[in-house]
Amino acid sequence: MSQFLKSVRLSIIASGIACSAFAQKSAVVTPAFSAASYTSYVKALSADYMLGRMPFSRGETKTVAYLEKQFINLGLKPGNKGSYVQQVPMVAISCNPQNTMNISTADANFNLDGGKDYVLWTRRTSATIDLKNEDLVFAGFGITAPEFHHDDYAGLDVKDKIVVVLINDPGYYDHQQFKGKTMTYYGRWTYKYDEAARHGAKGCLIIHDTGPAAYGFGVVQNSWRATKLYLDSRGHETYKCAIEGWLNLPAAERLLQTCGTNYKTLLNSALQHNFKAQPLPLKLSTSLVVNATYKQSHNVIAMIPGSQKPDECVIYSAHWDHLGIGKPDANGDTIYNGAVDNASGTAALLELARAFKQNKVKPARSVVFLSVTAEEQGLWGSAWYAENPVFPKDKTVADINMDMFYPYGKTKDIGLVGYGQSELEDYLQQAAKVQGRYIAPESDPAKGMYFRSDHFNFAKVGIPALYTESGVDLVIKGKAAGLKMHDDFTANHYHKPSDQFSAATWDVSGTLQDLQLLYQVGYKLASSTTLWPKWKPGSEFKAIREAYKK
């Protein structure tokens, strides 16, 4: 049994004690949530009039104005120093990579085909990026993780070199390492690029493998020559790799075989505790033409000030953005309404704000309702808030994030993404028990879903973050039916124009159940002046919080 699993077992035992004491703090009277009120918000946010809520479009202007108006009507205070709006400066970077990447050795020379064999992009805004005869180094999983006693960069100088790394983390292959089959943040491709930059690498190429990546190379190929959004870092730049990209597995094998090795051999070596990075006797040459356009989007922030400690807060978050107007579907519809994703979560934010405002017992701490931009483009609105918070991170108790509520009716379960991360799940479990429900951990933790929504940016700066999913164990129709409905949405409606509100088919009774749970967790945290939920042993975010919450 891994050390992480042992710590989770101990924390489960401890959580029973913690939850019991927590429940005795105060009884929470949950306000009645209204299906009519909630669905009116969903209907408005997902209407064609909102043009798919794309950042930088008329849809954004309409959405931000709507949210601001609703918060004013509910009687909430502006959340950003007298304003309901927080500006989010961004840059749109489009890359036109060279069609080939040249790989050479002392006695061999060949080209890889762009878009087919590899995908490249950059976060730099330079007009051109030229790479000529660059050195390559295999750096294992590209991870530096002190809490797991793992450092692929130990004793390695990668300055001005291209690092080649594996996707995911060692636990995917060896369940005794890291968190076993549960992916850690260290397994995410975004982490690997950032870590390579921290070590001064000129570039980072990840070897794609469908199993540990949890998606095919086709998903990566969709990024070929696509415009990407990033935060505008002018004035406070940090070092970024000149190139970031992926190699598909056949291309990686061709490259490695030229060096007299292969993918399986390097994977096995990277799993050893005494792993040492190794230079690859190869030179890489290619180039990119870059175009950068600076734009500005907006988060919307409202709040209910605390009665005793207004400088401390609990945050509820949900992203307002979706995909705008795009490719027509079979019916000719071009508006990507995003009713489930994420008008449902944004409507939940408004409904929770209404419930908190109607409660005659005001919270001791401030409650912040944060609707963020650009989640679909890379979690950028929440990233900007985390880096530029209204409430400092050491004064922020927790984040409770809402992203996609499925309208399928009441369930016996509530899904929990990131099981074993923080004490917030213990509080959720206590609230669910009162409802006669149970917590269902995500079915495939190897996919790393905890790192794919806005709560993650709070976790990255050490703030405990809770992310739930709609349950699938339907009270009336059962679990098999719930899973079938969930799979049907994913296959036929997710990120498609057909993700629309329907008064005839939507049953939001389960969503209202979930909102009652999230209200109880948030209200108990906000009504306390002393309770600070902690990260659990083994969490990769525990040390970050402890560094400034002593």
Side-chain angles (χ1 to χ4, degrees), residues 93-301:
I93 299 178
S94 59
C95 296
N96 186 18
Q98 184 179 331
N99 288 328
T100 60
M101 176 191 295
N102 180 256
I103 304 296
S104 61
T105 68
D107 52 7
N109 188 299
F110 62 91
N111 288 333
L112 298 178
D113 294 328
K116 176 187 175 183
D117 296 326
Y118 68 90
V119 170
L120 285 186
W121 61 83
T122 185
R123 283 186 279 175
R124 293 187 182 181
T125 56
S126 308
T128 59
I129 293 174
D130 289 310
L131 303 178
K132 294 182 180 179
N133 297 318
E134 309 294 346
D135 293 328
L136 275 71
V137 179
F138 176 66
F141 288 91
I143 292 172
T144 298
E147 66 271 36
F148 295 115
H149 309 290
H150 185 107
D151 188 0
D152 290 321
Y153 288 95
L156 180 64
D157 180 8
V158 297
K159 183 174 175 58
D160 293 329
K161 296 181 176 66
I162 309 295
V163 295
V164 178
V165 300
L166 305 169
I167 190 59
N168 214 308
D169 65 45
Y172 178 86
Y173 302 93
D174 178 358
H175 296 346
Q176 300 304 310
Q177 296 191 51
F178 282 61
K179 292 185 179 180
K181 67 179 182 179
T182 298
M183 183 195 283
T184 65
Y185 172 42
Y186 301 113
R188 289 285 289 155
W189 56 271
T190 51
Y191 164 82
K192 296 175 189 292
Y193 296 141
D194 289 343
E195 192 63 27
R198 279 190 283 270
H199 288 274
K202 182 172 284 189
C204 179
L205 296 175
I206 300 173
I207 298 176
H208 180 272
D209 187 349
T210 298
Y215 43 80
F217 193 67
V219 174
V220 178
Q221 288 173 306
N222 290 336
S223 298
W224 179 245
R225 291 198 170 106
T227 298
K228 297 179 180 292
L229 293 178
Y230 301 100
L231 295 180
D232 179 1
S233 61
R234 289 176 297 179
H236 46 91
E237 293 89 351
T238 57
Y239 179 82
K240 300 178 180 66
C241 292
I243 62 162
E244 300 171 345
W246 295 75
L247 296 168
N248 72 11
L249 194 52
E253 285 283 25
R254 183 181 180 189
L255 184 150
L256 296 173
Q257 287 170 7
T258 305
C259 305
T261 186
N262 57 57
Y263 175 69
K264 185 176 181 180
T265 297
L266 290 187
L267 170 60
N268 287 336
S269 71
L271 290 171
Q272 305 308 309
H273 292 289
N274 60 350
F275 167 76
K276 296 293 183 183
Q278 61 185 80
L280 299 174
L282 302 168
K283 300 287 185 180
L284 179 152
S285 299
T286 193
S287 65
L288 300 88
V289 176
V290 182
N291 181 61
T293 304
Y294 293 91
K295 301 182 179 183
Q296 188 165 268
S297 191
H298 303 85
N299 293 332
V300 183
I301 313 173

Side-chain angles (χ1 to χ4, degrees), residues 204-461:
C204 179
L205 296 175
I206 300 173
I207 298 176
H208 180 272
D209 187 349
T210 298
Y215 43 80
F217 193 67
V219 174
V220 178
Q221 288 173 306
N222 290 336
S223 298
W224 179 245
R225 291 198 170 106
T227 298
K228 297 179 180 292
L229 293 178
Y230 301 100
L231 295 180
D232 179 1
S233 61
R234 289 176 297 179
H236 46 91
E237 293 89 351
T238 57
Y239 179 82
K240 300 178 180 66
C241 292
I243 62 162
E244 300 171 345
W246 295 75
L247 296 168
N248 72 11
L249 194 52
E253 285 283 25
R254 183 181 180 189
L255 184 150
L256 296 173
Q257 287 170 7
T258 305
C259 305
T261 186
N262 57 57
Y263 175 69
K264 185 176 181 180
T265 297
L266 290 187
L267 170 60
N268 287 336
S269 71
L271 290 171
Q272 305 308 309
H273 292 289
N274 60 350
F275 167 76
K276 296 293 183 183
Q278 61 185 80
L280 299 174
L282 302 168
K283 300 287 185 180
L284 179 152
S285 299
T286 193
S287 65
L288 300 88
V289 176
V290 182
N291 181 61
T293 304
Y294 293 91
K295 301 182 179 183
Q296 188 165 268
S297 191
H298 303 85
N299 293 332
V300 183
I301 313 173
M303 63 179 291
I304 297 174
S307 60
Q308 297 179 49
K309 288 194 172 182
D311 60 326
E312 297 179 356
C313 79
V314 175
I315 296 177
Y316 286 95
S317 60
H319 74 90
W320 60 255
D321 66 293
H322 197 55
L323 304 178
I325 297 174
K327 182 180 178 180
D329 64 7
N331 298 317
D333 191 352
T334 60
I335 299 177
Y336 289 66
N337 304 82
V340 171
D341 184 16
N342 185 37
S344 67
T346 308
L349 193 73
L350 293 171
E351 187 64 10
L352 280 163
R354 188 181 71 84
F356 268 93
K357 188 63 179 176
Q358 288 183 346
N359 194 327
K360 294 180 180 180
V361 181
K362 300 305 176 186
R365 290 162 162 160
S366 297
V367 183
V368 174
F369 302 90
L370 173 63
S371 188
V372 295
T373 184
E375 187 271 353
E376 301 287 3
Q377 292 76 25
L379 315 182
W380 294 118
S382 57
W384 180 260
Y385 180 89
E387 294 175 11
N388 304 271
V390 176
F391 287 81
K393 60 187 178 182
D394 61 335
K395 296 292 186 180
T396 302
V397 179
D399 171 61
I400 299 172
N401 187 54
M402 297 168 290
D403 192 352
M404 299 176 60
F405 290 92
Y406 292 101
Y408 304 146
K410 291 184 177 181
T411 64
K412 299 176 185 177
D413 62 333
I414 181 168
L416 176 65
V417 180
Y419 183 79
Q421 282 284 6
S422 82
E423 292 177 347
L424 291 172
E425 68 191 55
D426 301 334
Y427 309 153
L428 179 71
Q429 185 176 39
Q430 179 66 27
K433 184 177 180 181
V434 173
Q435 283 189 347
R437 301 171 70 193
Y438 66 91
I439 287 178
E442 58 194 302
S443 59
D444 190 358
K447 290 182 177 180
M449 295 304 295
Y450 190 74
F451 316 114
R452 300 189 187 188
S453 192
D454 289 299
H455 62 282
F456 173 52
N457 282 315
F458 293 92
K460 280 176 71 175
V461 297

